[in-house]
Amino acid sequence: VLFNHKIHADLEGYGVACFDCHHHPPEDESPLVACGGCHVPPAEEMEVNETCLECHDQADIEDTEMISRGDAFHLQCINCHQDFEAGPVECTGCHAL
């Protein structure tokens, strides 16, 4: 996937804030986590493990279904591109095929 953090975050580009994509709770002071830290394949059922419990209480997430990293990217990126009518929405616009 062709992705450029600078053009997305720079005020000369799109001016997107980190928390617009990295949806760690803004009141949480922990560092941003890479998408693959939570959204890992296979996505059939999320297992509550030590990594999840570093940020979440087990009772809050035990019935949560975690989507795959690919699905998370697609939902986050394409929805934003469509909402703001900026950026590609076709596969070849992001994926180097």
Side-chain angles (χ1 to χ4, degrees), residues 1-3 70 74 77-78 81-82 87-97:
V1 172
L2 306 172
F3 185 82
H74 285 128
C77 299
I78 291 172
H81 288 185
Q82 289 172 338
V89 292
E90 299 297 325
C91 299
T92 55
C94 298
H95 295 270
L97 301 175

Side-chain angles (χ1 to χ4, degrees), residues 21-91:
C21 299
H22 296 270
H23 45 255
H24 228 271
E27 66 276 359
D28 186 351
E29 294 182 16
S30 62
L32 294 174
V33 176
C35 301
C38 298
H39 298 280
V40 293
E44 290 86 32
E45 283 192 40
M46 184 183 90
E47 291 182 29
V48 175
N49 58 42
E50 287 181 32
T51 305
C52 301
L53 298 175
E54 288 176 11
C55 300
H56 301 280
D57 293 326
Q58 184 160 353
D60 293 339
I61 61 170
E62 49 190 22
D63 294 327
T64 301
E65 185 176 326
M66 181 64 69
I67 62 174
S68 71
R69 180 173 51 184
D71 288 343
F73 280 134
H74 285 128
L75 289 171
Q76 183 81 352
C77 299
I78 291 172
N79 287 344
C80 188
H81 288 185
Q82 289 172 338
D83 290 348
F84 293 99
E85 297 179 3
V89 292
E90 299 297 325
C91 299

